[in-house]
Amino acid sequence: MSLQHPHNAASFLFPQTHSTVLPDPSTFFSSNLTSSPLPTNSFFQNFALKNGDQPEYIHPYLIKSSSSSLSISFPSRFFTSAFIYQVFIADLTISTSEHDNNNNNNKHVISSYSDLSVTLDIPSNNLRFFLVRGSPYVTVSYTIKLNNGQTWLIYASSPIKFSHTLSEIISDEFSGVIRIAVLPDDSSSNKYEEILDRFSSCYPVSGDVALNTNSSSVEYNWEKKGDGDLLMLAHPLHLLLLSKSDDDSHNNVTILDDFKYRSIDGDLVGVIGDSWLLETDPVSVDWHSNRGVKEESYDEIISALSKDVEDLDSSAITTTSSYFYGKLIARAARLALIAEEVDFLDVIPVVKKFLSETIGPWLDGTFNGNGFLYDEKWGGIITKQGSTDSGADFGFGVYNDHHYHLGYFLYGIAVLAKIDPKWGKKYKPQAYSIMSDFMNIGGGKSEHYHSTLNHHYHYTRLRCFDLYKLHSWAGGLTEFADGRNQESTSEAINAYYSATLLGLAYNDTELVSLGSTLTALEIHAAKMWWHVNGEGDSNMYEEDFVKENKLIGVLWSNKRDSGLWFAPPVWKECRLGIQLLPLTPVVEWTMPALDREGVGEGWKGFVYALEGVYDNESALKKIRSLKGFDDGNSFTNLLWWIHSRGSYDDDDRIIEEFCDEKQVLSFGHYSH
């Protein structure tokens, strides 16, 4: 089944906002772009916020635009045991010698963008920069101001004459294309220069991504100009997924293993080819645990389930926060699915009533104190509270954490649509609009995924998901010196998992395919970058950092931080919990015990859940002694988790890395 939406569906499903906190997109986006939904969590978001002068990481360079010029940095790293970040120092500043003094607007203009690129124009200098992710070259027409001793190579499409001083290189009048590339610090021979020379004539101007969801694959296609083959750079996850593809007819690339640029994301390795096929292992999503619940544990689970369901009372909810309210909805929905697993169907009508009373008002606009609104400026859903307070709902009104909040709502909606198809049919338009806020795939030039999901033109394309890094960003329209960020990978996974369940509830095979593909990619990325020494290169992070950390707290475009937004690095139980919640069938990790004083009962529950993967009896004893639970979790859910774990030896995919008792154990495996 597929839902046919009118193009203006969002405007009548949710009231239009009159937000007082959203920035004006016309400040930086060209006028031909502002009539369509615009990206809010993208890799170039800083270029569209405030003065537009904070840097962004366009692999392998940090790029900063300001004062009618563009500066390029091949960044060095600064690190301690608590964090790592890349340092921006303007190695090259690019401008023209002829500046239009009559042009009072020295700001850049975003004239076009795609999944893998952004084009910046500086009208006052008649400059155009093709900033394509993964290109070892920056392509532009300019004068180069040199301010350090690095070796940079300059290529021109036609003859050019330079003059120079110690700090400045100036060209005569020139029209055409100039490319520049730094020689990496570790280039000990002429090999790097020879490779850059060889591929300098072919340059990318944009890049698009096709999601081939039937095969759980992603295809990159770069638009190129010039002669010869295209040289790009692949990060470690690209290389992992390229290696999974054995279809040479669709993956005609050559990997240059010895041509590398350093990066905070791991070495960027040269790849020759203008079309890449990245294949991931499919994630088979279902409503229940893949192992099933041990029958001898039914009585204990049913006892807890009866009490948790008895305590459901929609009138007793005091929060109006979209995040915490969504967690309560998803918590209740878990009870219905657990009831199905343990064959205790008598409680399901009570859960159905609670979900209907809590979800319905958000969808029909009658919820008291908050609600969903449609923002036409950027093309998305925000909340009433967020429309007047940029800090309300954790910044939801400026597009922070959309997939987190809406993922919880979608989980509840999917379950309710499953157990009450009549309700599901009534609210299907609202359900799909909420999903499309962060999972619309329309807007790409090359799509192999044709469905009505493509027709949600009133929402931006894949709001949170980064098709180059292959994971989501939570930070929205907030300027950060280190770019976009994401804290909780598990809540990101939950968003795409919940959308997949929505597809199951509505028998929408295309949505199931899309959701499971994004779920699989988010899982890979979590293991690659958030799990220290996970799937990534063992030398990705510095030794001092690795000794103290097994999980990243907040991952930024340009930084790795062991702290959280709400907790210092020493609160490791929080760092674990935020990478685990919510506890659903899609998650399975491992962790040890805690010994710090003052640890909250809710966070302990997540740690014990992971301990249950490898020491079931010990974890069960600790869970039974808990006096409280996270607001999105329950005693029933924890018992379900423990009693649905198989023998530790049954699943050889689980990886356990034992550390000191005070350290965090590394990741396990996401089950389905």
Side-chain angles (χ1 to χ4, degrees):
M1 293 175 63
S2 294
L3 177 68
Q4 299 289 344
H5 269 311
H7 289 181
N8 65 345
S11 63
F12 67 78
L13 289 177
F14 300 109
Q16 189 164 323
T17 183
H18 300 285
S19 172
T20 60
V21 299
L22 285 168
D24 182 0
S26 66
T27 304
F28 291 102
F29 285 94
S30 64
S31 58
N32 65 301
L33 297 177
T34 55
S35 59
S36 300
L38 296 169
T40 59
N41 304 62
S42 76
F43 66 93
F44 62 86
Q45 207 68 54
N46 275 344
F47 295 157
L49 299 173
K50 292 189 176 179
N51 295 322
D53 57 1
Q54 288 294 328
E56 286 285 19
Y57 189 35
I58 314 291
H59 298 67
Y61 303 112
L62 278 171
I63 305 291
K64 182 176 181 179
S65 173
S66 61
S67 302
S68 303
S69 64
L70 184 136
S71 297
I72 306 172
S73 172
F74 185 54
S76 60
R77 297 240 293 245
F78 181 85
F79 65 91
T80 70
S81 62
F83 58 82
I84 305 170
Y85 68 87
Q86 297 186 134
V87 180
F88 178 88
I89 297 175
D91 298 322
L92 290 174
T93 300
I94 304 166
S95 66
T96 61
S97 55
E98 294 184 2
H99 177 67
D100 183 0
N101 294 318
N102 295 322
N103 191 331
N104 295 322
N105 183 12
N106 293 331
K107 294 180 180 179
H108 60 252
V109 173
I110 299 169
S111 58
S112 67
Y113 61 89
S114 65
D115 297 324
L116 305 175
S117 66
V118 60
T119 301
L120 292 188
D121 294 347
I122 301 182
S124 61
N125 281 347
N126 294 315
L127 290 174
R128 170 163 287 186
F129 298 90
F130 299 106
L131 304 178
V132 182
R133 307 174 80 183
S135 174
Y137 311 88
V138 174
T139 305
V140 70
S141 185
Y142 56 88
T143 294
I144 308 173
K145 298 179 180 178
L146 193 62
N147 67 357
N148 72 1
Q150 290 176 324
T151 301
W152 291 75
L153 305 178
I154 304 172
Y155 305 92
S157 60
S158 58
I160 186 171
K161 182 178 180 181
F162 288 114
S163 60
H164 67 88
T165 65
L166 290 176
S167 61
E168 188 174 53
I169 298 175
I170 302 174
S171 73
D172 290 346
E173 184 175 338
F174 174 80
S175 178
V177 172
I178 293 179
R179 308 192 75 194
I180 63 171
V182 70
L183 279 180
D185 297 340
D186 56 356
S187 53
S188 56
S189 67
N190 293 329
K191 175 182 62 180
Y192 279 67
E193 187 169 353
E194 291 170 357
I195 291 173
L196 288 167
D197 288 349
R198 177 184 168 191
F199 296 101
S200 62
S201 297
C202 181
Y203 62 95
V205 295
S206 69
D208 290 288
V209 178
L211 287 159
N212 305 316
T213 53
N214 289 333
S215 59
S216 296
S217 64
V218 176
E219 185 175 347
Y220 288 3
N221 293 286
W222 282 277
E223 180 185 350
K224 62 179 184 177
K225 293 187 177 181
D227 301 320
D229 293 325
L230 183 66
L231 173 63
M232 300 296 291
L233 298 173
H235 59 55
L237 185 49
H238 288 145
L239 296 173
L240 179 68
L241 301 182
L242 278 168
S243 71
K244 290 180 179 291
S245 175
D246 56 4
D247 187 350
D248 293 335
S249 65
H250 288 89
N251 213 10
N252 188 22
V253 299
T254 301
I255 298 174
L256 305 179
D257 292 314
D258 295 327
F259 182 81
K260 299 178 180 179
Y261 280 68
R262 69 170 186 263
S263 166
I264 198 168
D265 294 313
D267 285 342
L268 305 176
V269 177
V271 175
I272 303 169
D274 55 33
S275 181
W276 300 0
L277 182 65
L278 310 173
E279 292 190 334
T280 183
D281 296 326
V283 174
S284 179
V285 171
D286 201 353
W287 298 97
H288 305 128
S289 58
N290 63 323
R291 294 184 179 94
V293 176
K294 302 167 189 173
E295 192 167 347
E296 62 268 23
S297 67
Y298 278 19
D299 288 346
E300 182 178 21
I301 294 175
I302 288 172
S303 175
L305 181 60
S306 298
K307 184 179 186 310
D308 282 334
V309 171
E310 183 181 351
D311 290 341
L312 292 178
D313 181 0
S314 61
S315 65
I317 299 175
T318 57
T319 183
T320 58
S321 159
S322 56
Y323 177 73
F324 291 114
Y325 206 98
K327 288 181 73 175
L328 291 174
I329 288 170
R331 175 187 180 275
R334 287 289 309 127
L335 300 178
L337 295 183
I338 293 169
E340 289 183 343
E341 272 203 77
V342 298
D343 196 26
F344 188 58
L345 306 183
D346 292 350
V347 298
I348 290 181
V350 178
V351 179
K352 182 172 72 173
K353 179 175 181 291
F354 176 86
L355 291 176
S356 179
E357 291 172 349
T358 52
I359 299 173
W362 284 84
L363 302 187
D364 59 26
T366 61
F367 182 71
N368 187 26
N370 208 349
F372 293 132
L373 303 174
Y374 179 70
D375 162 42
E376 194 172 26
K377 277 186 181 179
W378 295 91
I381 293 171
I382 64 172
T383 58
K384 291 179 182 178
Q385 291 182 5
S387 69
T388 57
D389 180 357
S390 61
D393 291 329
F394 296 102
F396 195 90
V398 289
Y399 291 100
N400 290 348
D401 298 350
H402 268 219
H403 54 330
Y404 294 171
H405 297 220
L406 298 181
Y408 284 117
F409 275 89
L410 282 184
Y411 190 90
I413 291 169
V415 171
L416 185 52
K418 177 183 187 293
I419 62 178
D420 187 352
K422 184 177 180 181
W423 184 96
K425 182 178 181 180
K426 176 182 178 181
Y427 286 105
K428 187 175 182 180
Q430 290 90 336
Y432 269 66
S433 287
I434 288 174
M435 175 274 297
S436 297
D437 174 82
F438 66 92
M439 265 185 63
N440 176 38
I441 61 167
K445 292 181 182 178
S446 54
E447 285 297 341
H448 293 179
Y449 183 79
H450 299 291
S451 83
T452 52
L453 295 176
N454 263 347
H455 300 312
H456 291 247
Y457 297 125
H458 41 269
Y459 294 114
T460 193
R461 175 170 161 86
L462 288 176
R463 183 179 311 284
C464 302
F465 197 84
D466 184 325
L467 286 165
Y468 181 80
K469 282 297 299 294
L470 302 176
H471 66 73
S472 299
W473 297 114
L477 297 177
T478 306
E479 183 184 59
F480 294 110
D482 290 305
R484 299 306 93 199
N485 69 84
Q486 178 159 274
E487 186 174 56
S488 176
T489 57
S490 54
E491 288 181 300
I493 291 163
N494 179 67
Y496 303 114
Y497 169 62
S498 297
T500 309
L501 294 181
L502 189 75
L504 289 178
Y506 287 114
N507 196 28
D508 185 340
T509 57
E510 293 179 329
L511 178 54
V512 170
S513 296
L514 174 62
S516 58
T517 298
L518 295 177
T519 300
L521 292 171
E522 195 83 40
I523 287 170
H524 268 304
K527 293 163 71 176
M528 178 66 69
W529 287 299
W530 275 261
H531 300 163
V532 178
N533 285 356
E535 285 187 347
D537 182 352
S538 60
N539 297 317
M540 184 182 295
Y541 301 132
E542 281 75 5
E543 184 178 354
D544 287 357
F545 186 83
V546 171
K547 282 181 179 179
E548 293 296 324
N549 301 283
K550 292 299 175 185
L551 286 173
I552 301 296
V554 180
L555 186 139
W556 300 75
S557 306
N558 196 45
K559 184 181 181 180
R560 304 292 183 265
D561 201 330
S562 59
L564 302 171
W565 286 106
F566 62 94
V570 71
W571 291 14
K572 292 181 180 179
E573 77 284 356
C574 294
R575 208 187 323 172
L576 159 68
I578 205 67
Q579 304 300 345
L580 176 63
L581 59 84
L583 201 60
T584 65
V586 80
V587 179
E588 187 175 280
W589 292 15
T590 56
M591 249 343 227
L594 304 166
D595 58 6
R596 184 177 60 80
E597 294 295 326
V599 177
E601 294 288 284
W603 296 111
K604 284 182 181 179
F606 294 118
V607 176
Y608 300 156
L610 295 190
E611 186 180 357
V613 174
Y614 62 89
D615 191 345
N616 199 276
E617 289 301 318
S618 173
L620 183 57
K621 182 179 178 180
K622 292 171 183 176
I623 285 170
R624 287 168 176 161
S625 70
L626 286 172
K627 298 177 177 62
F629 306 93
D630 177 73
D631 48 9
N633 203 6
S634 65
F635 186 36
T636 299
N637 200 39
L638 285 172
L639 288 175
W640 162 84
W641 172 266
I642 293 296
H643 290 307
S644 61
R645 300 306 93 201
S647 167
Y648 181 63
D649 294 331
D650 285 349
D651 192 343
D652 59 9
R653 297 171 300 175
I654 298 174
I655 302 170
E656 185 179 6
E657 183 181 286
F658 286 95
C659 305
D660 182 88
E661 189 174 70
K662 295 181 181 178
Q663 288 280 351
V664 174
L665 287 183
S666 77
F667 63 92
H669 177 79
Y670 290 92
S671 73
H672 43 76

